[in-house]
Amino acid sequence: MKKIMILSSNFTGHGHASIAQALTEQFDKYDDIRYTVVDGFELIGKMGVKMSKIYGPITRNAKEFWKMSYALVDQHPQALLDPMTVAIHDRFIAKLCTFMPDLILTVHPFFNGTILNILEFYELDIPVYALQADLINITAAWCDPRAKLTLCPTREAYECSIKQGMPPKKLRICGFPTRAQFTEAARTRDTEEYDGSRPLKCLIMSGGEGSGNLLRYAEELLKNVFCTVEVICGRNRKMYEKIKKETASYGSRIKVHGFLTDVHEYMLSSDLIILRGSPNTMMEAVVLGLPMVITGSLPGQEADNPAMMIAHNLGVICSNPDIIASIVGTLMRDGGKRLREIRNAEREYRNLDNAINIAQIIHDEAETLQHVPPKKRMMLMTNHSREAFRRYFSKIYPG
């Protein structure tokens, strides 16, 4: 029986949690694997969870601040990772005492170097594997050559990782893992093909945090396009209430929803999705063969996602609500010819087995590992070891 610890995040968007779920759904099929999923920010304590929960408000309301923060971490990753290493130390060691894994898999960049620092200090021979959650803009925090293997979801992510200094032998392209509710739906069901004879069914959403100018896009479509609209606001309750109030006059042509767990059903019943360049949502749309209009992206980690989607003919870009009606009108021409082209490109690009294949890689890697008892064993939790660790890192990161 092999034990796997997955380091993820519950509140920095919904993407990391979705990736962890996609993998654990596959790990459940193995009789020889036990796993635990750990929110890395919980290892810091209550303050860490609070930090992770401000991700939504910052990315909605302070994008320039987010851009600067991302650039700082990318250019000077140790400025964040070293103090975080000290912050997660005690609770991470406590986790090891209750669940000593044979392998650690990280799906959040903040917990690659931090975990490796602690394991290295205590000479714990637990291999760390990283699964990148970004499509093309790979920050330096994702790229630690001490990791046993770093899994890249795309060719673009692989090439960016090499530019970040990663040795090619430590990288493998694996595809982007998608939850089973999407892949299984794609295997057994199909979206209805639009032929121009009925209202276009538009779905508008912007990730689990509900960022973006959803109201303006909805209003422009309802005013100027022969369509119906469904809006998914995610956890953004304020946005939900505002859109519901402002669009009430359109009656049954629009439906507004909060956070949903069956998003795939809404995607399957739509002809088009209008969304931010969030990796998980975009790849879920690709899996279901749903053409995309991409309205923008977060600075830094998502900056080049829209251009990448265009390069593979998986959607189109709309940078301003004022032109959404014109862009959608172009897609609807000739009985939806352009929509069908994008739909066909998505079917060629997608791989419904990505999560299955990644779980197989991790399973096979774990199977080859020989368990080595910790050299410093469980003296790890003594006050002496804690203070030694803090002194060690105070030299690296004074203050």
Side-chain angles (χ1 to χ4, degrees):
M1 180 69 69
K2 296 296 182 179
K3 295 193 291 184
I4 298 172
M5 180 182 289
I6 303 172
L7 270 295
S8 182
S9 168
N10 290 333
F11 300 108
T12 51
H14 195 61
H16 302 286
S18 294
I19 289 172
Q21 181 183 337
L23 297 181
T24 57
E25 288 168 344
Q26 302 307 319
F27 288 148
D28 284 337
K29 299 175 182 179
Y30 291 94
D31 295 330
D32 57 346
I33 282 183
R34 283 181 57 206
Y35 64 82
T36 184
V37 180
V38 178
D39 182 341
F41 289 95
E42 288 185 357
L43 297 177
I44 300 173
K46 290 182 180 179
M47 182 57 68
V49 175
K50 288 181 179 179
M51 284 168 49
S52 68
K53 286 183 176 180
I54 67 171
Y55 172 89
I58 288 177
T59 55
R60 288 196 298 268
N61 305 311
K63 289 186 178 181
E64 285 305 309
F65 174 77
W66 177 258
K67 182 179 180 179
M68 289 188 295
S69 301
Y70 180 91
L72 176 64
V73 173
D74 190 36
Q75 295 167 20
H76 307 286
Q78 296 313 121
L80 173 69
L81 300 185
D82 284 344
M84 278 195 69
T85 299
V86 176
I88 69 173
H89 170 271
D90 290 2
R91 289 179 177 83
F92 176 63
I93 292 300
K95 288 287 184 185
L96 293 186
C97 290
T98 58
F99 187 92
M100 179 62 77
D102 297 286
L103 180 154
I104 295 175
L105 175 66
T106 65
V107 298
H108 194 292
F110 288 2
F111 307 110
N112 293 333
T114 51
I115 296 304
L116 284 160
N117 287 340
I118 297 173
L119 296 177
E120 187 176 76
F121 178 79
Y122 288 111
E123 300 176 33
L124 292 172
D125 191 19
I126 304 173
V128 174
Y129 292 72
L131 172 59
Q132 296 170 342
D134 296 310
L135 297 177
I136 180 170
N137 299 104
I138 302 301
T139 176
W142 275 121
C143 299
D144 195 315
R146 294 176 296 171
K148 180 83 171 177
L149 183 67
T150 296
L151 299 169
C152 306
T154 64
R155 167 64 61 177
E156 290 86 348
Y158 173 86
E159 292 172 353
C160 188
S161 298
I162 290 176
K163 290 179 182 178
Q164 289 282 20
M166 284 293 286
K169 66 180 181 180
K170 289 271 188 156
L171 302 171
R172 188 183 304 183
I173 301 172
C174 63
F176 196 94
T178 307
R179 289 172 289 170
Q181 66 193 83
F182 293 91
T183 55
E184 294 311 306
R187 294 181 204 278
T188 59
R189 299 162 63 186
D190 204 356
T191 51
E192 181 184 353
E193 194 167 282
Y194 177 75
D195 61 6
S197 63
R198 56 172 174 76
L200 185 75
K201 293 179 287 186
C202 300
L203 177 65
I204 307 177
M205 61 183 293
S206 192
E209 297 296 338
S211 60
N213 200 345
L214 276 61
L215 175 59
R216 283 284 310 284
Y217 282 101
E219 288 180 326
E220 289 299 317
L221 286 170
L222 290 166
K223 288 177 185 176
N224 301 297
V225 178
F226 181 47
C227 70
T228 60
V229 174
E230 301 235 20
V231 184
I232 300 177
C233 299
R235 298 186 181 94
N236 194 334
R237 187 70 190 179
K238 185 177 179 180
M239 179 181 287
Y240 169 84
E241 297 290 353
K242 183 177 181 180
I243 295 176
K244 202 165 181 62
K245 178 182 177 181
E246 296 293 329
T247 61
S249 62
Y250 292 99
S252 62
R253 287 186 64 204
I254 182 168
K255 295 180 181 177
V256 188
H257 311 276
F259 186 81
L260 300 172
T261 58
D262 58 346
V263 173
H264 64 289
E265 293 292 344
Y266 293 85
M267 288 187 175
L268 283 167
S269 63
S270 301
D271 300 308
L272 176 73
I273 184 168
I274 298 160
L275 76 171
R276 194 193 85 215
S278 167
N280 283 73
T281 309
M282 288 195 305
M283 298 312 292
E284 287 163 357
V286 169
V287 160
L288 293 176
L290 181 60
M292 296 181 284
V293 175
I294 305 164
T295 60
S297 57
L298 282 180
Q301 72 205 68
E302 296 176 0
D304 296 320
N305 286 356
M308 178 185 161
M309 294 295 105
I310 301 309
H312 293 285
N313 195 29
L314 305 177
V316 298
I317 293 176
C318 177
S319 58
N320 190 311
D322 292 338
I323 59 174
I324 185 63
S326 173
I327 288 173
V328 171
T330 300
L331 295 173
M332 295 170 70
R333 282 181 197 157
D334 301 323
K337 178 183 176 183
R338 186 74 182 98
L339 289 172
R340 286 193 294 277
E341 290 174 353
I342 295 172
R343 200 166 176 240
N344 292 336
E346 288 177 324
R347 280 170 167 74
E348 290 182 19
Y349 184 86
R350 72 184 183 184
N351 184 338
L352 305 183
D353 293 331
N354 283 339
I356 295 172
N357 295 337
I358 293 168
Q360 186 69 55
I361 290 170
I362 298 300
H363 173 269
D364 293 348
E365 291 283 326
E367 221 176 17
T368 64
L369 298 173
Q370 298 297 320
H371 183 71
V372 179
K375 293 180 181 179
K376 296 190 179 181
R377 302 191 68 80
M378 286 305 133
M379 65 170 279
L380 302 178
M381 285 302 291
T382 67
N383 288 332
H384 171 75
S385 65
R386 288 177 181 174
E387 287 309 310
F389 183 80
R390 282 165 173 71
R391 285 197 300 273
Y392 172 74
F393 265 93
S394 69
K395 294 176 184 177
I396 298 176
Y397 188 76

